[in-house]
Amino acid sequence: MDTRIAVIGIIVENPEAAPRINDILHEYSPYILGRMGIPYPKRELSIISIVIDAPQNIISALSGKLGMIPDVSTKTVYSKV
């Protein structure tokens, strides 16, 4: 199955969402190449970026599950390769 490289940007506006986010990311860990989290206390939010190499349907499922968590926003950018 063909895979794509994507970056999923996540903005977390409620720290109580972190355990659910981590559970979902753990579920998809075989596909995740890297993760960077930046806390931003001044705005009381956190920014997470995930780099993933996976089939299109896996990337969409991960992004969709994360985006359904209250107070969590996601945006996915795909490589053309």
Side-chain angles (χ1 to χ4, degrees):
M1 183 176 276
D2 290 336
T3 64
R4 295 183 71 183
I5 302 291
V7 177
I8 301 174
I10 307 164
I11 296 182
V12 184
E13 297 176 350
N14 181 351
E16 292 179 12
R20 183 69 185 124
I21 293 168
N22 287 327
D23 288 345
I24 293 170
L25 293 178
H26 180 73
E27 179 182 343
Y28 289 86
S29 63
Y31 303 102
I32 295 174
L33 301 176
R35 170 183 174 171
M36 178 178 63
I38 303 169
Y40 192 22
K42 179 179 176 182
R43 292 285 191 109
E44 297 181 3
L45 55 81
S46 296
I47 303 102
I48 303 169
S49 61
I50 304 296
V51 179
I52 186 168
D53 183 1
Q56 175 76 38
N57 62 327
I58 298 292
I59 297 169
S60 295
L62 171 57
S63 182
K65 285 181 182 181
L66 291 168
M68 290 184 352
I69 301 170
D71 302 316
V72 174
S73 302
T74 66
K75 189 69 170 185
T76 304
V77 180
Y78 294 90
S79 70
K80 294 182 181 181
V81 183

